[in-house]
């Protein structure tokens, strides 16, 4: 595992090195690691200064992070978890995301943007090719938001910077940070390569219990003992899969919203065997990737967000599925009455979530398989859109049509 020169002898297994760089692209000291296919060798450079507050420090330089209170010890004092007890945020270097759909691509991008070595595991080479444009789209959105922020203060997104009032040249440094780090996300189909040295794993695969169980059982013997496993499941409780993970004490839910650079929340939900240390690490990790952690005191289907959101979606879909109104009129009603922006209306939000996921969630409602019921009519409506390839903003069309920048085509 990671050894910092000057504190421990270098590992004998390999002389391969990877470069950890700050947000401005400056080179700094090397960290010896076990050989990895995506590691690179660079000449040794002098120790760099602390990262400016408005930039995201890589995980080897968290001493200046305002999210962590600036109270972290220096990188030279870091010991591996097996030497110092339970894992702490300063031990986290490598993060793997399993799956790269709408949320997986956003999570991987934000983890990389904040300076962690990021890998994405996918089932096949075909999945990798489908993931590339999703990641490119997320990168384009993040850079676009940052560019807009230079001239429009309202474009500020909490997840991209702790500091709201930045000069244009400081925002340019954030853009450079995104341009440098996001292309380094490593895509792989190898379980050993993806999970063999991961400190944190975030599971974002399909909401299918059989697929999740199968993945957990396959990666359990591959992951290091200290790895904390998090699920982004939007529907299942963590206790459902705790035994399949082989590490129930290091397993919990870390549920994200959508457009997480703007809506930067995570819902932390433990089960009855999740350790306090793992729960604390998930909270620290949320802060480290620009999120605001919301802690649940007990397991709750739908967590906080979906407990509020799903009835709202269902009510909007019912109005359309039963012929009462159309999506644009329902959205306009919500916008005029609540003062919501256009992108915070029900059908615009459904397009962001993705209609296949919405169909899956609505398909779990009572009577969803009976076309004579309201829930059955809602599922039939969504099936029609999905069958036509109108799956949401990522596809360019859902209830609305979108241009390449995600703007509605009027």
């Amino acid at each position: 595992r990671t050894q910092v020169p000057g504190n421990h002898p270098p590992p004998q297994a390999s002389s391969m090195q990877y470069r950890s760089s700050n947000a401005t692209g400056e080179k700094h000291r090397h960290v010896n690691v076990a050989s990895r296919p995506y590691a690179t060798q660079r000449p040794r450079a002098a120790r760099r200064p602390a990262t400016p507050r408005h930039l995201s420090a890589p995980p080897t330089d968290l001493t200046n992070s305002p999210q962590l209170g600036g109270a972290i010890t220096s990188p030279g004092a870091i010991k591996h978890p097996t030497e110092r007890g339970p894992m702490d945020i300063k031990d986290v270097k490598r993060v793997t995301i399993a799956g790269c759909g709408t949320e997986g691509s956003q999570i991987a991008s934000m983890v990389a943007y904040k300076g962690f070595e990021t890998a994405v595991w996918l089932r096949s080479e075909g999945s990798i090719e489908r993931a590339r444009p999703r990641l490119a789209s997320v990168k384009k959105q993040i850079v676009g938001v940052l560019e807009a922020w230079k001239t429009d203060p309202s474009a500020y997104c909490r997840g991209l910077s702790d500091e709201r009032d930045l000069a244009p040249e400081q925002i340019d440094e954030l853009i450079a940070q995104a341009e440098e780090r996001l292309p380094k996300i490593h895509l792989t189909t190898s379980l050993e390569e993806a999970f063999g040295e991961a400190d944190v794993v975030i599971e974002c695969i399909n909401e299918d219990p059989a697929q999740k169980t199968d993945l957990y059982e396959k990666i359990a013997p591959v992951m290091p003992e200290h790895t904390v496993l998090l699920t982004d499941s939007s529907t299942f409780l963590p206790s459902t899969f705790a035994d399949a993970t082989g590490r129930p004490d290091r397993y919990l839910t870390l549920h994200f919203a959508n457009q997480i650079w703007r809506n930067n929340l995570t819902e932390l939900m433990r089960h009855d065997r999740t350790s306090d240390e793992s729960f604390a690490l998930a909270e620290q990790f949320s802060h480290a990737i620009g999120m605001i952690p919301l802690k649940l005191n007990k397991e709750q289907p739908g967590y906080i967000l979906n407990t509020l959101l799903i009835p709202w979606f269902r009510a909007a879909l019912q109005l359309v599925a039963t012929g009462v109104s159309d999506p644009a009129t329902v959205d306009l009603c919500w916008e005029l009455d609540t003062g919501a922006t256009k992108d915070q209306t029900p059908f615009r939000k459904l397009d962001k979530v993705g209609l296949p996921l919405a169909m899956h969630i609505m398909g779990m409602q009572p009577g969803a398989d009976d076309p004579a019921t309201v829930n059955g009519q809602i599922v039939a409506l969504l099936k029609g859109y999905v069958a036509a390839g109108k799956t949401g903003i990522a596809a360019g069309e859902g209830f609305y049509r979108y241009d390449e920048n995600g703007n509605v085509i009027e």
Side-chain angles (χ1 to χ4, degrees):
R1 294 297 298 172
T2 302
Q3 302 287 342
V4 180
N7 289 277
H8 306 283
Q12 299 301 313
S14 172
S15 62
M16 186 71 74
Q17 298 177 320
Y18 75 91
R19 180 172 67 98
S20 180
S21 59
N22 70 5
T24 59
E26 297 174 317
K27 298 174 186 175
H28 61 85
R29 64 195 169 117
H30 287 69
V31 181
N32 290 311
V33 297
S35 177
R36 294 175 65 81
Y38 50 100
T40 58
Q41 278 192 303
R42 304 286 185 189
R44 183 180 299 274
R47 181 174 298 184
R48 58 178 172 76
T51 305
R53 285 177 63 89
H54 68 282
L55 298 176
S56 300
T60 52
D61 181 15
L62 292 173
T63 58
N64 198 43
S65 172
Q67 295 162 323
L68 297 175
I72 303 301
T73 56
S74 65
I78 295 174
K79 295 182 179 180
H80 186 270
T82 57
E83 299 178 41
R84 57 179 300 278
M87 187 162 61
D88 191 85
I89 187 61
K90 57 185 175 289
D91 299 310
V92 177
K93 307 294 186 300
R94 301 186 182 96
V95 180
T96 293
I97 292 83
C100 198
T102 300
E103 290 214 345
S105 58
Q106 294 182 24
I107 295 166
S109 297
M110 283 301 296
V111 170
Y113 174 80
K114 291 296 184 177
F116 292 90
E117 185 180 349
T118 308
V120 174
W121 176 82
L122 295 146
R123 294 182 186 279
S124 66
E125 291 298 326
S127 297
I128 287 180
E129 292 310 308
R130 288 188 292 273
R132 294 190 194 280
R134 292 194 192 104
L135 291 167
S137 174
V138 172
K139 177 176 173 287
K140 186 173 183 178
Q141 291 179 67
I142 289 174
V143 171
V145 165
L146 291 169
E147 288 284 3
W149 182 21
K150 289 195 288 186
T151 56
D152 179 7
S154 68
Y156 165 74
C157 291
R158 295 184 303 266
L160 299 177
S161 174
D162 297 315
E163 306 288 335
R164 177 183 288 270
D165 299 319
L166 295 183
E169 57 269 22
Q170 291 176 305
I171 299 175
D172 281 335
E173 291 179 330
L174 292 175
I175 293 172
Q177 175 175 294
E179 294 283 5
E180 178 197 359
R181 293 177 176 178
L182 269 60
K184 294 181 179 178
I185 296 171
H186 179 63
L187 308 179
T188 181
T189 60
S190 166
L191 293 175
E192 180 63 39
E193 189 175 311
F195 303 104
E197 293 182 349
D199 300 309
V200 170
V201 170
I202 306 173
E203 174 269 303
C204 299
I205 67 171
N206 292 336
E207 291 291 88
D208 179 339
Q211 289 188 38
K212 289 183 185 292
T213 299
D214 181 64
L215 174 65
Y216 292 151
E217 290 177 346
K218 284 180 178 176
I219 67 176
V222 179
M223 291 185 293
E225 183 179 351
H226 72 269
T227 304
V228 172
L229 176 58
L230 308 170
T231 177
D232 181 46
S233 174
S234 59
T235 53
F236 295 113
L237 301 177
S239 58
T240 306
F241 305 103
D243 288 329
T245 68
R247 58 188 65 225
D249 60 318
R250 284 151 286 158
Y251 175 67
L252 67 150
T253 294
L254 188 72
H255 181 237
F256 293 77
N258 202 349
Q259 288 195 317
I260 62 176
W261 50 90
R262 184 184 308 277
N263 307 312
N264 63 327
L265 66 88
T266 53
E267 296 177 286
L268 278 66
M269 184 164 66
R270 63 195 302 166
H271 60 95
D272 59 359
R273 287 180 286 167
T274 303
S275 70
D276 292 341
E277 293 82 5
S278 297
F279 197 70
L281 180 73
E283 181 180 6
Q284 290 179 313
F285 179 70
S286 295
H287 284 299
I289 61 171
M291 302 295 111
I292 299 173
L294 307 176
K295 296 183 285 188
L296 280 72
N297 298 322
K298 58 188 294 187
E299 288 191 320
Q300 162 66 26
Y303 319 141
I304 298 171
L305 181 60
N306 283 339
T307 298
L308 297 169
L309 203 57
I310 290 174
W312 183 61
F313 281 153
R314 184 188 180 281
L317 288 164
Q318 178 179 338
L319 290 168
V320 174
T322 58
V324 173
S325 191
D326 60 87
T329 301
V330 172
D331 280 357
L332 181 60
C333 176
W334 185 262
E335 180 186 347
L336 294 174
D337 188 64
T338 66
T341 57
K342 291 181 181 295
D343 64 345
Q344 297 297 321
T345 53
F347 287 95
R348 291 279 292 272
K349 292 285 284 186
L350 279 163
D351 277 352
K352 289 179 185 176
V353 168
L355 303 195
L357 178 57
M359 183 176 70
H360 173 78
I361 293 171
M362 295 301 161
M364 298 171 67
Q365 305 300 309
D369 56 350
D370 183 355
T373 67
V374 171
N375 285 335
Q377 293 173 53
I378 288 173
V379 170
L381 171 71
L382 292 168
K383 278 185 177 178
Y385 277 87
V386 172
K390 301 177 181 180
T391 57
I393 191 170
E397 187 170 2
F399 290 106
Y400 295 88
R401 292 175 57 231
Y402 299 87
D403 63 22
E404 61 180 9
N405 296 315
N407 300 312
V408 169
I409 299 173
E410 301 294 343

